[in-house]
């Protein structure tokens, strides 16, 4: 199996994993709408269905999902992210714990609400309007009873710009598949390079996006790769025209 | 829990007749007549309760006694070939007082905002209002239309309905003409900005609607 | 469940209690509760009936007996800060057949969670809800708005629209007031569980700081 073939059926997306990644990276799917835990569960189900663990794809999956998690947490933390990055592990754990407890609190409260709602099943209210002659008794508010200042104040509130969010950190992190594709293609002109060369010194997000760009190259028949042992060097080869196929089938599974 | 029915042993007043007890079917028919906005025929009642029509007739007899003038404030009426509940003349004065009490909260925050946008920018389209507010203004706009405070005024070049305020609006706010609206300057957070009010409102609205990458800022 | 059940063991009116007779004031209050679309407070009832509030309380006690489950298909309920009439589950099958639609859609988990956050933290903004849930609440919030369970209540200092629950919410969830919801802290873990959780998080944090590969745990 290849990871991209992992089929997902989620609230906001249904289709193969690689398409999901592409849509997230192109910002066509809002990462905040995506329950990453569901993606992990789908993957575990898939593994269980196969009955064996393919280390290579498992590693790939972990790298990609970790990248998504990191990206998502950045999105969620946004403006106070800088401070959080400076936290020591203890403080970070406290912060995370507080958030987990809060989420759990309201998840339990929602269960309670569901029970209240179920207890009221079968209760109906009359919705017929009162008779016309009684409705006529409803008085119109007096002339001049509203203050125009209410309208001016509303416009004032609407004119207020939201505080500017610092994008400094995120924008330095932002890396697109297109960029990584062109980087890989440059390297490919040599015929062959190692994955380590392609991502040397880069952050994890860039590594993840590079993996994705590599998958894209493979899909388009421009490259194939080879890894002789787990966690060993990954050698990426350009596909000479005319020999698409055979060696790919052998090495990219 | 207080959502439950309340009960007590208060004795009934000496003179009045309690009317007959209701069986299960009569209770069901009573519930249906209470819920339905229009009269229901015996056939409709029989179908809903899944019983024969003559059993419905028996139940209606019980209900007619229970809901007779003097025994209840809700009367069973036969109207247009069907049955319905209605209140009688003896409670009309109280009903008129009930409906004529001044209503609290004349404008909700969403309505005030929508009305302000229409008042200051008119004519303005619904999509524009939504862009400025950052959230839908549909139900607020519908209520304002119903209350006669805004009205349609043609269509934009893209076919969206445009709104303007009405003379009813001027009366409610004690204005002689729309140019008597107060100058926004005193509420303007950045009065030094030169651009048109409309343009500035749209820009702020779009910034609120997610110019940023995240739900940050709260 | 079907009407057959009703047909097979209909108890004669002999067994059921008719409830007390209603005096004139109770009849008037009964009429007012029938006419009003929303729950009425004892004060509103007293004003409309032009009597003292303690007389209204007596009348409500009579009505509570008359309109108790088993005695009537129309039940007196204390909801959303006032009194109102409603039908109960025993007539739901017949009502479903008559109106050919179920009473109300259920709540999805996302809607219930969003509603819980609004109910406990109101007024609360959409970005705040998203932050707590960890996933966007936009579509859930829109549905709750459409269903009249939440409504706008002004804007935060940063310009985000804030939400609160409505009296429709209280009505549909069988609550008299929002403070009838249990303290949210009751669902917090025990101190031991919390300590364990903290320790696990700390270990994960140290592993991460130590430069190992990021553990993919959410």
């Amino acid at each position: 199996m290849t990871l991209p073939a992992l089929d997902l059926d989620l609230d906001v997306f249904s289709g193969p994993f690689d398409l999901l990644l592409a849509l997230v990276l192109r910002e066509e799917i809002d990462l905040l709408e995506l329950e990453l835990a569901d993606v992990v569960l789908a993957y575990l189900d898939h593994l269980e269905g196969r009955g064996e663990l393919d280390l290579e794809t498992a590693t790939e999956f972990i790298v990609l999902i970790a990248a998504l998690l990191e990206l998502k947490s950045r999105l969620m933390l946004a403006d106070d992210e800088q401070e959080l990055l400076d936290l020591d592990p203890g403080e970070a754990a406290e912060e995370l714990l507080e958030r987990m407890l809060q989420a759990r609190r309201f998840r339990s409260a929602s269960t309670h609400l569901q029970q209240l709602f179920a207890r009221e099943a079968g209760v109906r209210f009359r919705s017929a309007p009162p008779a016309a002659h009684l409705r006529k008794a409803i008085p119109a508010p007096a002339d001049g009873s509203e203050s125009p200042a209410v309208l001016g104040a509303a416009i004032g509130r609407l004119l207020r710009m939201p505080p500017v969010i610092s994008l400094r950190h995120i924008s330095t992190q932002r890396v697109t598949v297109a960029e990584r594709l062109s980087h890989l293609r440059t390297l490919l002109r040599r015929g062959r390079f190692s994955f380590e060369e392609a991502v040397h010194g880069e952050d994890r997000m860039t590594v993840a996006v590079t993996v994705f760009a590599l998958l894209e190259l493979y899909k388009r028949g421009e490259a194939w790769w080879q890894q002789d042992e787990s966690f060993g060097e990954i050698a990426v080869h350009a596909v000479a025209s005319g020999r698409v196929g055979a060696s790919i089938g052998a090495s990219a599974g | 829990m207080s959502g439950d029915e309340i009960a007590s042993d208060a004795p009934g007043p000496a003179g009045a007749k309690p009317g007959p007890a209701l069986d299960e079917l009569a209770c069901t028919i009573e519930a249906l007549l209470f819920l339905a906005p229009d009269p229901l025929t015996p056939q409709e009642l029989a179908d809903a309760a899944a019983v024969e029509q003559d059993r419905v007739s028996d139940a209606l007899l019980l209900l007619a006694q229970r809901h007779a003038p003097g025994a209840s404030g809700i009367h069973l009426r036969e109207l247009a070939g069907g049955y319905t509940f209605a209140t009688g003349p003896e409670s009309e004065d109280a009903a008129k007082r009930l409906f004529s009490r001044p209503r609290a909260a004349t404008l909700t925050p969403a309505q005030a905002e929508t009305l302000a946008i229409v008042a200051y920018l008119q004519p303005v389209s619904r999509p524009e209002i939504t862009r400025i507010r950052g959230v839908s203004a549909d139900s607020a706009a519908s209520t304002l239309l119903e209350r006669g405070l805004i009205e349609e005024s043609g269509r934009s070049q893209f076919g969206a309905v445009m709104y303007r305020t009405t003379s009813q609006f001027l009366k409610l706010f004690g204005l002689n003409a729309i140019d008597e609206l107060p100058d926004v300057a005193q509420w303007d957070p950045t009065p030094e900005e030169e651009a048109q009010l409309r343009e500035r409102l749209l820009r702020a609205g779009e910034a609120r609607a997610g110019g940023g990458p995240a739900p940050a800022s709260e």
Side-chain angles (χ1 to χ4, degrees), chain B residues 1-128:
Chain B
M1 183 143 275
S2 59
D4 293 339
E5 285 77 13
I6 327 97
S8 93
D9 294 307
K17 305 154 290 179
L22 301 183
D23 60 19
E24 209 179 313
L25 178 60
C27 283
T28 301
I29 306 271
E30 194 188 26
L32 296 177
L33 291 172
F34 167 77
L35 292 171
D38 299 309
L40 296 171
T41 65
Q43 186 59 57
E44 285 171 321
L45 288 167
D47 290 346
V51 297
E52 295 301 316
Q53 216 180 302
D54 53 354
R55 293 201 52 215
V56 168
S57 307
D58 292 345
L60 284 168
L61 281 176
L62 281 179
L63 287 171
Q65 286 177 270
R66 158 79 70 112
H67 290 279
S72 167
I74 308 171
H75 307 158
L76 183 65
R77 290 266 174 74
E78 199 178 344
L79 262 187
Y83 291 84
T84 190
F85 279 141
T87 58
E90 74 280 8
S91 53
E92 186 157 334
D93 286 344
K96 279 194 175 141
R97 275 191 295 269
L98 177 70
F99 287 111
S100 64
R101 76 201 134 107
R103 286 182 302 176
T106 43
L107 290 174
T108 67
Q111 287 162 9
E113 244 176 57
T114 306
L115 192 55
I117 294 168
V118 175
Y120 279 92
L121 300 187
Q122 55 190 317
V124 61
S125 71
R126 205 180 274 212
E128 242 176 329

Side-chain angles (χ1 to χ4, degrees), chain A residues 32 75 78-79 124-126 130 133-134 137-139 141 143-149 151-153 155-156 158-162 167, chain B residues 34-36 92 95 99-100 106 113 116-117 120 147 169 171-174 182 184 187-189 201 204 207-208 213-217:
Chain A
L32 291 172
L75 289 176
D79 57 345
R124 291 185 190 235
F125 299 92
R126 183 176 158 84
H133 71 283
L134 289 173
I138 301 175
D143 288 354
S145 62
E146 291 280 357
S147 160
L151 303 174
I155 291 293
L158 289 169
L159 280 173
R160 192 172 301 151
M161 292 295 277
L167 296 179
Chain B
F34 167 77
L35 292 171
E92 186 157 334
F99 287 111
S100 64
T106 43
E113 244 176 57
I117 294 168
Y120 279 92
R147 290 185 59 183
F169 161 81
K171 275 197 234 159
L172 181 65
F173 284 84
V184 176
W187 294 282
D188 193 341
L201 283 170
R208 274 191 299 272
S217 80

Side-chain angles (χ1 to χ4, degrees), chain A residues 169-244:
Chain A
H169 195 86
I170 288 184
S171 49
T172 58
Q173 288 281 328
R174 186 158 287 173
V175 48
T176 65
V177 180
E179 280 165 33
R180 299 313 289 171
L181 267 177
S182 95
H183 175 61
L184 292 182
R185 283 189 179 124
T186 310
L187 292 172
L188 265 185
R189 290 201 203 111
R190 307 196 314 229
R192 182 209 133 114
F193 65 90
S194 81
F195 188 73
E196 180 51 31
E197 277 178 80
V199 298
H200 185 74
E202 298 288 2
D203 60 85
R204 263 202 309 275
M205 187 63 215
T206 308
V207 174
V209 175
T210 309
V211 169
F212 183 72
L214 195 55
L215 289 170
E216 189 67 26
L217 284 181
Y218 166 61
K219 203 167 74 190
R220 296 182 188 190
E222 295 177 39
W224 61 283
W225 63 87
Q226 191 175 15
Q227 185 179 30
D228 293 332
E229 52 178 333
S230 291
F231 304 106
E233 194 193 77
I234 301 173
V236 182
H237 302 265
V239 174
S241 47
R243 53 160 302 225
V244 189

Side-chain angles (χ1 to χ4, degrees), chain A residues 28 46-47 67 86 144 149 205 234:
Chain A
E28 285 172 32
H46 180 86
L47 279 187
D86 296 338
M205 187 63 215
I234 301 173

